């Protein structure tokens, strides 16, 4: 009899402890065991690197975290070549704003090269049109 | 020990369209400017949006790049096959593949998805798309957060409409009141076992637990926007139907006074409690859940069902100690009573009452006996059934000699559908396909006589009966061998022999030209199509000759082709056939058990052409295989082209032949395990808007002429062969390098033939 009681208590404990993975990202009571997204440490800017042909190049990866890595690109006026790689399972579609250019749909594993030519200094956002409202966006700062 | 052994149901069991209890809340404001008759709402607790349009003008929902994505109007709902949103929005987390042919900049290609003016979709602008919480929410989950504001655009005629909405984090209540209620119920049930006669009260508790789970399931069913089977699935779809009868048996036994039935009741209680805790406990501390019940009632029902379940487990020791007779050798050992135990004497009296007198009903031994007899009976029945279906039965025919099961199999000619489309489901070993052209001077009466003659011939041959012709002896002594004769009408028949061109169904159009194909027109198309199949080559040849002879100047053969599969009995019937490339062919065919099988393969009873109801469209393509090139590929390369393993037909993502392919699976280096241009990926219904067909392919091999006689049946080629073929060619199907489509034809096979009717009678006598 005591053994049965002990088993019940142990199993109950195991359940409540295992609760974190049991109940998904929102977790157990009071948010215990919730899955937290990594807080953005503030975007660390990356400079596009000019090649011998004068074109500035940068590679950006898109993942299932619905973020662009890096999300902040600095460049000088001229032609900037972006290589976008989709490393996740979800499709993405990056569109530049304020300047013509976009990847079109990028399925899982796909990549696309986009050249934009910017004469005016300023900030040009490039969101993923599918996941914009989830905060998936990047900025090109031309100075 | 009890709990550990209980299988746990998957946590997704109580989700509605991917959403369970949650603190995320999606709200939508009104459409602005307001249009009478247009209503937009959030359904399934935030999983989808629903747009209803009772107005006369179409409303177009805009996709992620502002392109037309879906259209809802008086004649139903349509999606734009060129909009990426069509593919992305099929899944709650947009785990999809957008075909290369889709592009927001292309003009829309509308595809009807619903005849009602209502459309529901997963709009990824409106809900939380990540599988981790927003960082600010995670640090303070007890506070309210506004996560994002979103808007969806629409066009209504020339007017632009917007619906703005909000995604918020709404913290849930404290679960402690429910935990206390649950604990009180557990304590109550344990206390009950200290009373003299708890059996019947416990029986009522067991029933209450089952009722609680049913009420909870009904609430979920109410929240599901979908078909009745989907709703019933929420109530009965998983473990429930297995455990409820056992729980009710336990309740009945307790009611009859069997104290040891507490073991059974506790087992069911543990099962129900654990599955509810795993699936639904978050309901207590989250702010919303997909359910038609008021949330407080839902939480209460959950606490009662789980409380009783756990209480039954906790009540086992005292129930056995105080109410089960201790004399049984397998009973629990008598435990030293503690000082607080009241009146052990009374307990002894109760023990006697607990075991009913022999006259009061079946005794425990009798019950065990019944159970044993029942189990033996089931085993015996199963064994006999298995031996009957497994053995090669020899069936005597009218003529006396015994036929093997290959020869004796007969497929009924009459019925609601023509034979040879879905029956027999395991296709025959031999086929002859032919097309005929009507003579220019053929009258409708000639055609009626021809189809009447074909009907009589088919009817007799499928029963293995002689026709009274000189050449009957060709097949003397042979059984029907699953012979089927299927007749179809080509697009060019309409406008000939008095059949008005206007009677041609829209779906019965010549197939569009596909890029890169070079077809032989002399071996394509035709006014009438015939498919004769059987498990014996002699029977097929005889039927082909008899049916061709009957055309007798009314029609002439335009083309004919023969094909084969492995002979019946040469391998196991349960194996999917292989083609000359060595690949299993047809693994992902729709199965008759699928709920949408009929809908995909057969023309619905609502079709305007009554002769076509229950019929099906046949696409015939003679596909040459460039086997010399194919043979130069290694096994691994071949498997990459197809997307399946060559040896067992399993998708490259793993499992067995019939395991669903996992198109998202990634291998080393992040490349998809099933390549992006693999044949099965591009041909699968999931990436073709559900387009599916029943392929009944046969091989052909005449010297250097080798390949696949591709026969595919579908409810409508515009939602079957045509989009799939377009996707294969447009997305760079790797297999296309090794095959050449040489001929093409499409036929509409009319519905089945009733007794006394002839094939196609409803078409030929309505005009």
């Amino acid at each position: 009899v005591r053994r049965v009681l002990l088993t019940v208590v142990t199993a109950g404990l195991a359940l409540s402890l295992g609760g974190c993975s049991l109940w998904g990202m929102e977790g157990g009571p009071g948010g215990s065991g919730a899955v937290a997204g990594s807080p953005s440490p503030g975007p660390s800017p990356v400079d596009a690197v000019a090649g011998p042909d004068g074109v500035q190049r940068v590679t950006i990866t898109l993942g299932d975290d619905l973020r662009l890595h890096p999300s902040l690109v600095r460049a000088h006026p001229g032609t900037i070549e972006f290589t976008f790689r989709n490393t996740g399972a979800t499709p993405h579609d990056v569109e530049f704003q304020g300047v013509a250019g976009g990847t079109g749909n990028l399925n899982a594993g796909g990549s696309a090269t986009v050249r934009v030519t910017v004469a005016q200094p300023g900030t040009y956002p490039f969101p993923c049109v599918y996941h914009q409202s989830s905060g998936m966006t990047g900025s090109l700062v031309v100075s | 020990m009890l709990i550990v052994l209980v299988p746990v149901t998957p946590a997704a069991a109580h989700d509605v369209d991917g959403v369970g209890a949650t603190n995320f809340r999606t709200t939508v404001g009104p459409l602005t400017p307001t249009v009478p008759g247009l209503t937009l709402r959030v359904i399934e607790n935030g999983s989808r949006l629903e747009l209803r349009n009772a107005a006369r003008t179409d409303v177009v929902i805009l996709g992620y790049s502002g392109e037309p994505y879906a259209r809802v109007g008086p004649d139903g709902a349509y999606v734009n096959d060129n909009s990426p949103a069509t593919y992305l929005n099929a899944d709650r987390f947009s785990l999809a593949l957008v075909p290369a042919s889709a592009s927001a900049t292309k003009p829309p290609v509308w595809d009807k998805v619903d005849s009602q003016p209502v459309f529901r979709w997963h709009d990824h602008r409106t809900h939380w798309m990540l599988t981790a919480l927003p960082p600010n929410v995670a640090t303070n989950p007890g506070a309210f957060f506004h996560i994002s504001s979103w808007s969806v655009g629409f066009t209504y005629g020339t007017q632009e409409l917007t619906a703005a909405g909000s995604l918020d984090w709404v913290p849930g209540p404290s679960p402690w009141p429910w935990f206390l209620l649950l604990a009180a119920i557990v304590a109550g049930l344990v206390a009950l076992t200290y009373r003299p006669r708890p059996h019947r009260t416990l029986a009522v508790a067991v029933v209450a637990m089952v009722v609680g789970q049913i009420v909870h399931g009904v609430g979920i069913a109410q929240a599901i926007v979908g078909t009745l089977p989907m709703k019933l699935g929420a109530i009965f779809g998983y473990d429930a139907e297995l455990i409820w009868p056992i729980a009710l048996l336990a309740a009945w036994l307790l009611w009859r006074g069997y104290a040891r039935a507490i073991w059974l009741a506790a087992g069911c209680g543990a099962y129900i409690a654990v599955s509810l805790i795993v699936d639904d406990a978050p309901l207590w501390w989250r702010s919303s859940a997909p359910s038609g019940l008021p949330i407080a009632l839902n939480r209460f029902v959950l606490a009662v069902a789980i409380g009783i379940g756990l209480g039954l487990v906790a009540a086992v020791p005292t129930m056995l100690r105080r109410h089960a007779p201790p004399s049984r050798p397998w009973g629990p050992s008598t435990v030293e009573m503690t000082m607080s135990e009241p009146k052990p004497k009374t307990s002894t009296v109760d023990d006697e009452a607990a075991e009913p007198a022999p006259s009061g009903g079946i005794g425990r031994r009798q019950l065990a006996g019944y159970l044993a007899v029942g189990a033996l009976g089931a085993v015996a029945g199963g064994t006999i059934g298995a031996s009957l279906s497994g053995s090669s039965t020899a069936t005597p025919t009218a003529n006396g000699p015994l036929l093997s099961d290959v020869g004796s199999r007969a497929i009924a000619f009459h019925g609601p559908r023509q034979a040879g489309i879905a029956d027999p489901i395991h296709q025959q070993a031999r086929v002859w396909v032919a097309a005929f052209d009507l003579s220019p001077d053929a009258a409708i009466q000639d055609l009626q006589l021809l189809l009447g003659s074909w009907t009589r011939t088919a009817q007799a041959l499928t029963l293995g009966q002689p026709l009274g012709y000189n050449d009957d002896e060709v097949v003397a002594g042979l059984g029907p061998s699953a012979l089927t004769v299927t007749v179809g009408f080509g697009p060019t028949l309409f406008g000939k022999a008095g059949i008005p061109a206007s009677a041609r169904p829209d779906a019965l159009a010549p197939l569009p030209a596909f890029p890169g194909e070079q077809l032989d027109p002399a071996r394509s198309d035709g006014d009438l199509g015939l498919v004769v199949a059987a498990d014996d080559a002699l029977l097929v040849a005889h039927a082909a000759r008899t049916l061709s002879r009957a055309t007798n100047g009314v029609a002439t053969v335009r083309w004919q082709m023969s094909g084969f599969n492995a002979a019946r009995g040469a391998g196991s019937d349960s194996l999917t056939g292989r083609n000359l490339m060595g690949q299993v062919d047809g693994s992902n065919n729709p199965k008759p058990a699928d709920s949408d099988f009929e809908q995909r393969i057969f023309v619905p009873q609502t079709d305007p052409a009554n002769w076509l109801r229950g019929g099906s469209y046949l696409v015939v393509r003679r596909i040459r295989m460039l086997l010399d090139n194919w043979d130069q590929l290694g096994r691994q390369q071949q498997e990459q082209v197809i997307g399946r393993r060559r040896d067992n037909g399993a998708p490259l993502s793993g499992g067995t032949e019939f395991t669903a392919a996992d198109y998202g699976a990634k291998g080393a280096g992040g490349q998809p395990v099933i390549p992006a241009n693999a044949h099965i990926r591009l041909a699968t219904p999931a990436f073709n808007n559900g387009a599916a067909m029943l392929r009944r392919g046969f091989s052909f091999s005449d010297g250097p002429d080798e390949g696949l006689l591709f026969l595919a049946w579908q409810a409508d080629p515009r939602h079957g062969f045509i989009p799939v073929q377009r996707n294969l060619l447009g997305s760079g199907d790797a297999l296309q390098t090794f095959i050449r489509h040489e001929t093409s034809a499409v036929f509409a096979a009319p519905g089945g033939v009733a007794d006394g009717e002839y094939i196609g009678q409803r078409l030929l006598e309505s005009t």
Side-chain angles (χ1 to χ4, degrees):
Chain A
V1 170
R2 286 206 185 99
R3 222 172 35 216
V4 173
L5 273 174
L6 195 69
T7 314
V8 170
V9 170
T10 318
L13 261 178
L15 264 182
S16 50
L17 287 178
C20 37
S21 58
L22 193 59
W23 292 307
M25 71 166 161
E26 294 183 45
S32 61
V35 185
S38 48
S40 48
S44 47
V46 167
D47 294 318
V49 182
D53 54 356
V55 173
Q56 306 167 73
R57 290 186 172 80
V58 66
T59 298
I60 293 181
T61 55
L62 323 167
D64 288 343
D65 60 350
L66 307 188
R67 291 291 177 271
L68 299 154
H69 301 283
S71 63
L72 185 56
V73 174
R74 287 191 304 211
H76 301 297
T79 300
I80 305 123
E81 184 182 287
F82 287 82
T83 304
F84 291 98
R85 293 185 199 286
N86 183 359
T87 57
T90 312
H92 299 291
D93 181 355
V94 176
E95 283 290 337
F96 281 83
Q97 290 174 0
V99 57
T103 59
N105 181 71
L106 265 191
N107 278 332
S111 66
T113 306
V114 178
R115 277 193 183 202
V116 294
T117 303
V118 181
Q120 286 293 321
T123 300
Y124 300 85
F126 51 97
C128 165
V129 296
Y130 302 156
H131 301 115
Q132 201 166 0
S133 62
S134 301
M136 185 172 187
T137 188
S139 294
L140 167 65
V141 178
V142 177
S143 56
Chain B
M1 196 161 70
L2 201 57
I3 285 189
V4 178
L5 289 176
V6 167
V8 173
T9 48
H14 285 203
D15 289 357
V16 171
D17 237 317
V19 176
T22 179
N23 283 345
F24 286 107
R25 186 186 66 187
T26 296
T27 44
V28 63
L31 277 163
T32 47
T34 312
V35 174
L38 272 189
T39 45
L40 178 71
R41 64 181 185 126
V42 176
I43 57 168
E44 294 163 348
N45 206 28
S47 186
R48 293 199 287 175
L49 292 181
E50 179 190 85
L51 178 69
R52 280 183 186 275
N53 183 2
R56 293 242 183 93
T57 310
D58 283 343
V59 60
V60 174
I61 305 163
L62 302 181
Y64 299 103
S65 305
E67 81 283 8
Y69 151 51
R71 195 180 84 196
V72 187
D75 64 340
Y78 294 76
V79 292
N80 171 10
D81 283 350
N82 275 340
S83 166
T86 296
Y87 310 93
L88 297 166
N89 292 359
D91 179 80
R92 166 65 179 78
F93 288 95
S94 86
L95 292 172
L97 203 64
V98 178
S101 57
S103 162
T105 55
K106 281 193 188 173
V109 172
W110 294 112
D111 202 355
K112 192 165 188 170
V113 290
D114 200 337
S115 54
Q116 298 297 311
V118 58
F119 185 67
R120 305 179 184 95
W121 73 104
H122 293 287
D123 199 303
H124 303 319
R125 293 168 279 218
T126 68
H127 47 221
W128 186 244
M129 289 293 288
L130 282 159
T131 49
L133 292 180
N136 51 357
V137 169
T139 47
N140 190 6
F144 175 93
F145 286 95
H146 171 64
I147 295 167
S148 63
S149 298
W150 51 266
S151 76
V152 177
F154 306 80
T155 55
Y156 179 76
T158 53
Q159 224 178 338
E160 288 186 2
L161 311 179
T162 316
S166 175
L167 175 65
D168 302 300
W169 174 266
V170 183
S174 163
W176 281 104
W178 305 108
F179 289 167
L180 290 176
L181 172 62
L182 192 152
I185 294 170
V186 173
L189 284 180
V190 174
L192 192 66
T193 57
Y194 286 93
R195 296 187 55 79
R197 293 285 304 165
H199 303 69
R200 294 200 162 182
T201 319
L202 285 174
V204 171
V206 173
V207 174
M209 172 178 69
V210 171
V211 170
Q213 206 187 16
I214 293 175
V215 169
H216 177 71
V218 167
I220 292 167
Q222 285 177 316
I224 290 178
V225 179
T227 57
L228 185 64
M230 285 162 69
K231 287 171 182 279
L232 290 177
I235 308 174
F236 296 103
Y238 31 106
D239 48 26
E241 81 269 39
L242 292 174
I243 201 74
W244 292 344
I246 301 173
L248 294 178
L249 173 71
W252 180 72
L253 290 172
L254 280 169
W255 187 265
R256 303 286 314 228
Y258 294 96
R260 285 198 178 86
I262 191 70
W263 278 116
L264 199 54
C268 297
Y271 190 93
I272 288 178
V274 171
S275 46
L276 283 176
I277 289 171
V278 169
D279 291 337
D280 296 298
L283 190 57
W284 286 322
W285 58 85
R286 293 188 191 156
S287 55
S288 70
S291 174
L293 301 179
I295 195 156
L297 176 62
N298 204 356
R299 290 180 179 134
F300 173 77
V301 165
L302 193 68
V304 169
I306 296 177
I308 295 174
L310 296 179
L312 289 169
V313 175
V316 169
T318 41
M319 187 67 190
L320 293 175
R321 197 170 63 212
R322 302 184 60 89
H323 302 284
S327 56
R328 303 293 173 197
W330 48 275
S333 55
T334 39
V335 177
E336 208 55 33
M337 305 267 175
T338 58
M339 298 305 287
S340 62
E341 292 287 357
K343 294 184 245 167
K345 203 91 179 135
T346 326
S347 142
T348 321
V349 173
D350 289 334
D351 290 345
E352 280 156 16
E355 193 73 25
S359 59
I362 48 169
R364 193 176 47 76
R365 287 216 176 126
Q366 272 172 288
L367 180 78
Y370 288 146
L371 286 176
V373 168
L376 275 178
V379 170
T383 315
I384 292 167
S387 63
L388 277 181
S389 60
S391 68
S392 56
T393 45
T395 315
T397 61
N399 306 334
L402 295 177
L403 294 173
S404 74
D405 66 338
V406 174
S408 61
R409 196 161 63 133
I411 308 297
F413 172 77
H414 292 292
R417 305 208 186 94
Q418 288 199 63
I421 301 174
D423 299 305
I425 193 64
H426 189 87
Q427 64 203 66
Q428 301 98 320
R430 293 284 179 161
V431 77
W432 174 78
V433 190
F436 297 81
D437 280 341
L438 280 191
S439 307
D441 54 350
I444 188 128
Q445 291 81 3
D446 297 324
L447 188 55
Q448 289 169 348
L449 287 173
L450 170 60
L451 289 166
S453 164
W454 278 1
T455 304
R456 281 190 304 280
T457 303
Q459 211 176 320
L461 290 177
T462 52
L463 290 171
Q465 291 171 350
L467 288 157
Y469 296 140
N470 281 341
D471 59 356
D472 278 351
E473 278 70 29
V474 171
V475 292
L478 302 185
S481 307
L483 181 86
T484 56
V485 175
T486 320
V487 178
F489 299 143
T492 46
L493 179 71
F494 295 82
K496 292 185 185 167
I499 301 174
S502 59
R504 181 175 62 80
D506 290 340
L508 184 60
L511 293 179
F514 294 102
E517 68 183 13
Q518 286 188 313
L519 302 178
D520 175 1
R523 290 193 297 164
S524 295
D525 308 322
D527 294 343
L528 294 170
L530 258 184
V531 181
V532 176
D535 282 326
D536 178 76
L538 202 54
L539 271 172
V540 170
H542 176 65
R545 181 162 170 76
T546 311
L547 293 163
S548 302
R549 200 167 50 201
T551 56
N552 195 24
V554 177
T556 50
V557 173
R558 180 179 170 90
W559 52 260
Q560 47 188 326
M561 300 165 190
S562 294
F564 59 86
N565 279 313
R568 216 168 117 78
S572 163
D573 269 5
S574 58
L575 294 178
T576 308
R578 286 186 185 261
N579 59 33
L580 294 179
M581 287 183 156
Q583 298 287 347
V584 296
D585 198 342
S587 313
N588 201 22
N589 255 342
K591 313 278 184 292
D594 296 349
S595 59
D596 53 1
F597 179 76
E598 311 231 329
Q599 184 195 329
R600 285 172 150 178
I601 311 305
F602 293 102
V603 176
Q605 292 301 323
T606 51
D607 196 274
N610 75 334
W611 59 273
L612 195 47
R613 293 174 192 161
S616 184
Y617 286 89
L618 170 67
V619 168
V620 183
R621 309 277 288 191
R622 185 180 174 93
I623 303 173
R624 177 196 288 268
M625 291 173 171
L626 308 181
L627 290 179
D628 289 338
N629 300 357
W630 176 251
D631 289 344
Q632 281 166 14
L633 297 190
R635 181 184 64 84
Q636 211 180 350
Q637 288 168 296
Q638 292 186 350
E639 290 179 342
Q640 296 276 316
V641 168
I642 302 290
R644 288 186 183 278
R645 286 171 61 116
R646 213 173 56 188
D647 55 356
N648 61 4
L652 294 183
S653 50
T656 66
E657 182 191 342
F658 298 107
T659 307
D662 177 1
Y663 294 106
K666 292 279 164 38
Q671 292 301 312
V673 176
I674 297 174
N677 62 351
H679 185 69
I680 63 162
R681 177 191 289 272
L682 297 173
T684 190
F687 294 138
N688 287 289
N689 254 330
M693 35 192 165
L694 184 63
R695 288 167 287 136
R696 294 173 81 84
F698 292 84
S699 293
F700 63 86
S701 175
D702 297 317
D705 249 10
E706 297 164 306
L708 175 72
L709 208 48
F710 174 92
L711 306 181
W713 296 95
Q714 56 232 285
D716 185 337
R718 295 169 300 179
H719 301 292
F721 180 77
I722 296 172
V724 173
Q725 181 68 3
R726 279 207 178 114
N727 191 31
L728 287 173
L729 295 172
S731 305
D733 171 30
L735 184 60
Q736 299 298 321
T737 321
F738 303 96
I739 59 177
R740 297 283 180 270
H741 284 235
E742 294 187 324
T743 79
S744 174
V746 61
F747 300 103
V753 185
D755 250 334
E757 227 188 1
Y758 62 83
I759 301 163
Q761 182 167 355
R762 273 162 279 163
L763 172 66
L764 296 186
E765 296 190 3
S766 69
T767 52

